[in-house]
């Protein structure tokens, strides 16, 4: 890939659902998408964080967003069906789905994992992504040009010690992406890809590496060209690819 510079109106009239939109990469993606013309639907566990992102978008005069609070660790299939129903009622369809929400747990040997932690991480990181995608696919099929992006990590492409359920769930997301991309290939109305954001200054990174100099890390905003490319029309024809955000900078 080569450095990507999105045009100002790249996402005009597009409706994009973003999970984990309250902070970190999700917040940056929501602001970037709104800035480039999208109507963003902010999904996350903490309503107050989502409200701050909502207010920032409103202050900037960008398209009015929407808030959908949802705890992915406890949400049931009926909750996801309600999310899709609400989006259809309020927006009439969906043009983009960005899976960003994740829980990394702790860096622990597999033998020390508790079943409760394992099941929680699988639920938040992998099962929730499938359930939400499944619920939203009928809306995405209505779009003439839809994109699904799974945020993953390098530990989901090459296994590394101590990354446990998070690493395994990222491997699962890569597999989910590949299968769904292959299923959507013939229709060509929905493209499906994964993106590794690399090392970025986020709360999850700080929890995993408490001794790291947080200020020395790149801000989430620096990797937004990759997300904008995948969610916008310039990525038409790109399907089933495991990409790295650094390649767009």
């Amino acid at each position: 890939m080569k450095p990507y510079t999105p045009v100002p109106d790249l996402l005009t009239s597009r409706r994009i659902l973003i999970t984990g939109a309250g902070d970190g990469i999700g917040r940056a993606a929501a602001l970037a998408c709104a800035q480039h013309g999208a109507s963003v639907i902010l999904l996350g566990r903490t309503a107050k964080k989502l409200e701050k992102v909502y207010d920032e978008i409103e202050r900037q005069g960008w398209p009015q967003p929407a808030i959908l609070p949802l705890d992915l660790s406890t949400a049931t299939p009926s909750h996801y069906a309600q999310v899709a129903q609400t989006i259809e009622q309020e927006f009439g369809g969906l043009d983009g789905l960005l899976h960003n929400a994740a829980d990394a747990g702790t860096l622990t040997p597999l033998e020390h994992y508790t079943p409760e932690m394992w099941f929680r991480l699988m639920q938040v990181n992998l099962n929730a992504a499938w359930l939400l995608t499944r619920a939203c696919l009928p809306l995405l099929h209505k779009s003439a040009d839809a994109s699904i992006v799974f945020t993953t990590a390098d530990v989901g492409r090459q296994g590394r010690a101590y990354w446990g359920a998070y690493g395994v769930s990222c491997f699962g997301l890569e597999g989910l992406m590949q299968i769904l991309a292959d299923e959507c290939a013939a229709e060509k109305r929905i493209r499906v890809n994964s993106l590794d954001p690399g090392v970025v200054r986020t709360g999850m990174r700080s929890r995993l590496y408490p001794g790291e100099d947080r200020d020395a890390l790149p801000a989430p905003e620096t990797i937004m060209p990759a997300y904008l490319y995948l969610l916008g029309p310039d990525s038409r024809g790109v399907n089933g690819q495991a990409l790295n955000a650094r390649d767009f900078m």
Side-chain angles (χ1 to χ4, degrees):
M1 301 301 297
K2 58 184 179 180
Y4 176 71
T5 302
V7 297
D9 61 348
L10 179 76
L11 303 178
T12 297
S13 300
R14 292 185 181 241
R15 303 149 296 181
I16 298 176
L17 172 61
I18 301 172
T19 72
D23 55 19
I25 293 173
R27 174 185 179 277
L31 295 175
C33 288
Q35 182 180 4
H36 286 81
S39 297
V40 293
I41 301 140
L42 312 170
L43 189 148
R45 181 178 60 181
T46 308
K48 286 186 178 180
K49 290 182 178 181
L50 299 177
E51 289 166 359
K52 289 182 179 179
V53 180
Y54 181 101
D55 291 343
E56 177 62 21
I57 293 173
E58 287 276 273
R59 278 195 298 270
Q60 296 294 338
W62 299 329
Q64 185 176 18
I67 291 177
L68 287 176
L70 187 67
D71 187 341
L72 300 183
S73 68
T74 57
T76 66
S78 63
H79 288 118
Y80 294 102
Q82 182 60 53
V83 166
Q85 183 179 350
T86 299
I87 293 172
E88 183 170 30
Q89 290 174 346
E90 298 297 324
F91 293 92
L94 197 61
D95 305 292
L97 172 55
L98 169 53
H99 291 286
N100 167 74
D103 185 348
T106 57
L107 299 180
T108 308
L110 286 171
E111 65 179 319
H112 295 160
Y113 255 88
T114 65
E116 292 77 15
M117 177 62 74
W118 183 275
F119 293 148
R120 174 185 168 82
L121 265 60
M122 287 297 173
Q123 186 66 25
V124 171
N125 300 342
L126 181 57
N127 296 339
W130 171 70
L131 286 164
L132 183 59
T133 301
R134 173 177 173 269
C136 290
L137 274 173
L139 301 177
L140 292 161
H141 280 298
K142 292 182 177 181
S143 174
D145 180 40
S147 175
I148 300 174
V149 181
F150 293 96
T151 300
T152 58
D154 58 348
V155 295
R157 297 174 180 173
Q158 175 63 52
R160 294 219 314 263
Y162 311 126
W163 283 89
Y166 176 69
V168 172
S169 67
C170 286
F171 269 100
L173 285 178
E174 295 287 356
L176 175 59
M177 177 276 289
Q178 292 177 25
I179 292 170
L180 183 58
D182 203 36
E183 291 177 354
C184 293
E187 183 185 12
K188 296 183 179 180
R189 295 167 65 91
I190 303 175
R191 56 189 174 279
V192 189
N193 298 282
S194 68
L195 185 67
D196 172 13
V199 177
V200 180
R201 188 194 312 151
T202 64
M204 185 169 75
R205 178 80 187 185
S206 296
R207 288 189 294 275
L208 293 172
Y209 296 92
E212 193 173 52
D213 182 4
R214 176 182 171 87
D215 294 334
L217 303 179
E221 289 76 13
T222 63
I223 62 169
M224 286 305 111
Y227 283 102
L228 292 170
Y229 170 78
L230 289 174
L231 291 167
D234 292 335
S235 61
R236 285 175 181 152
V238 178
N239 185 51
Q241 301 300 303
L243 303 169
N244 298 298
R246 300 295 172 207
D247 294 336
F248 295 84
M249 298 171 60

